[in-house]
């Protein structure tokens, strides 16, 4: 069974930072795409960052470029999302997701992801 467990959410003032973590188990870690998704209150879920565990350039939504950084620790099967210069519009639920081992997809399209964590809440106050 594939499991993704997020942690690191919380409340922060605008301009602050948070780091989200996602530990993956039961999934082939090598050569798979890991992504972070965000859903603001009253809006749809969108991909904000993704990276391929086998290497290559990361993907970022325009709204987070220059502020968020996705990284991974292959030894720990963990992917991180470093969020800096947080804005109130970054508030919402964040999910970690993984593309199935059978797919070579890499990007931010939600429909391409097969495995999801339970989500973690981030609240940014102005």
């Amino acid at each position: 069974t594939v499991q993704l467990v997020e942690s690191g959410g919380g409340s922060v003032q605008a301009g602050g930072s948070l780091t989200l973590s996602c530990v993956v188990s039961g999934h082939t870690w090598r050569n798979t795409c890991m992504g972070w998704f965000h859903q603001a209150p009253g809006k749809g879920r969108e991909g904000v960052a993704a990276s391929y565990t086998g290497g290559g350039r990361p993907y970022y939504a325009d709204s987070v470029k220059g502020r968020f950084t996705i990284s991974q620790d292959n030894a720990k099967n963990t992917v991180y999302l470093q969020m800096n210069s947080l804005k109130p519009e970054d508030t919402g639920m964040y999910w970690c997701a993984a593309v199935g081992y059978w797919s070579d997809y890499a990007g931010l399209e939600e429909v391409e992801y097969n495995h999801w964590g339970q989500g973690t809440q981030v609240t940014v106050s102005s």
Side-chain angles (χ1 to χ4, degrees), residues 50-73:
S51 68
Y52 203 67
T53 59
R57 71 172 181 88
Y59 300 82
Y60 294 102
D62 289 342
S63 59
V64 307
K65 282 181 181 176
R67 300 189 300 121
F68 290 11
T69 302
I70 187 170
S71 63
Q72 60 201 42
D73 185 334

Side-chain angles (χ1 to χ4, degrees), residues 71-121:
S71 63
Q72 60 201 42
D73 185 334
N74 293 341
K76 296 181 179 180
N77 282 15
T78 301
V79 61
Y80 303 96
L81 184 67
Q82 173 68 44
M83 305 186 293
N84 298 327
S85 302
L86 282 162
K87 304 175 180 180
E89 51 263 43
D90 296 320
T91 292
M93 286 292 290
Y94 285 78
W95 288 268
C96 170
V99 173
Y101 69 90
W102 57 87
S103 172
D104 60 358
Y105 176 80
L108 298 175
E109 292 295 330
E110 177 182 355
V111 68
E112 299 288 347
Y113 286 77
N114 306 98
H115 309 290
W116 294 81
Q118 81 286 354
T120 187
Q121 175 71 33

